[in-house]
Amino acid sequence: MNNILDTSYLFLADGFEEIEALTTVDVMRRAGMKVYTVAACGKEKTVKGANGIEVIADKNIDEIDATDAQWIIIPGGMPGSTNLAANVKVTDIINKQWIKGGNIAAICAAPAVVLGPIGVLRGNEATCYPTFKDDLIKAGGKYVDNRVVISGNLITGNGPSSALVFAFAIVAQTLGDDVASSVASGMLV
């Protein structure tokens, strides 16, 4: 089990948005960050994305100890976000991360569908996929129509086209703007 403060976890469930998940992991790893993909629902490590792409996760949720996670990251996609929100292990990990003041990042449907019902958005500025705006507001979030919104230790993104911006925001918040800029430059961004 990994219990190191520099380890982050990105949760996957069937129906996750592939570009949001894989872009984020790719950019974080390019920056030298330790991030694991986690099959969050079921015993198998193979998870099928919203567009039919199958991914073999690094770990299963039963194999991780997220007590000291640097980041808990939730990609969007449907029904991936709904599947994550329905999983008590996932919501428990997210809730504990939030209560202790840990870092959480969610994109697309995930801010409203996964974070909203457990109170993470309450009082925070956030964004999400536009069709979930009303759910975000009902959950007590302050909707901001931006690609990415940083509100303290919470980063939210609005959808697939913002995956790179979202990933760079995580890197910048963790390792600084210089590292994020260096990785972006190397990717010709």
Side-chain angles (χ1 to χ4, degrees):
M1 296 231 183
N2 226 319
N3 195 10
I4 302 170
L5 283 173
D6 67 348
T7 302
S8 297
Y9 300 100
L10 184 140
F11 292 141
L12 301 173
D14 284 340
F16 73 94
E17 179 59 55
E18 296 95 336
I19 194 168
E20 295 166 358
L22 299 178
T23 298
T24 303
V25 170
D26 181 281
V27 169
M28 290 175 72
R29 287 183 180 172
R30 286 173 191 256
M33 295 176 71
K34 187 188 299 182
V35 56
Y36 293 108
T37 56
V38 178
C41 302
K43 298 292 180 194
E44 300 298 319
K45 287 186 181 177
T46 301
V47 187
K48 191 172 191 176
N51 296 296
I53 300 169
E54 289 190 349
V55 172
I56 299 172
D58 299 313
K59 297 186 177 283
N60 181 280
I61 197 164
D62 294 328
E63 299 174 313
I64 68 166
D65 176 3
T67 306
D68 291 325
Q70 187 170 51
W71 285 94
I72 298 295
I73 305 157
I74 308 108
M78 292 299 277
S81 292
T82 303
N83 291 335
L84 290 174
N87 185 297
V88 175
K89 287 181 183 177
V90 170
T91 56
D92 185 52
I93 289 170
I94 295 167
N95 196 37
K96 286 178 179 172
Q97 178 82 348
W98 187 247
I99 288 169
K100 73 174 187 175
N103 298 314
I104 295 175
I107 187 169
C108 197
V113 174
V114 181
L115 301 183
I118 59 174
V120 172
L121 300 177
R122 198 169 300 120
N124 288 294
E125 290 186 343
T127 193
C128 63
Y129 198 80
T131 57
F132 294 97
K133 173 184 175 181
D134 291 342
D135 296 317
L136 186 147
I137 294 168
K138 285 178 192 169
K142 300 173 186 172
Y143 181 78
V144 179
D145 186 17
N146 283 344
R147 291 172 63 112
V148 171
V149 174
I150 300 169
S151 184
N153 57 331
L154 174 66
I155 297 177
T156 53
N158 69 356
S161 74
S162 299
L164 269 175
V165 180
F166 176 75
F168 288 132
I170 293 170
V171 171
Q173 284 289 103
T174 310
L175 301 174
D177 291 334
D178 289 346
V179 173
S181 294
S182 177
V183 173
S185 177
M187 295 175 69
L188 305 179
V189 175

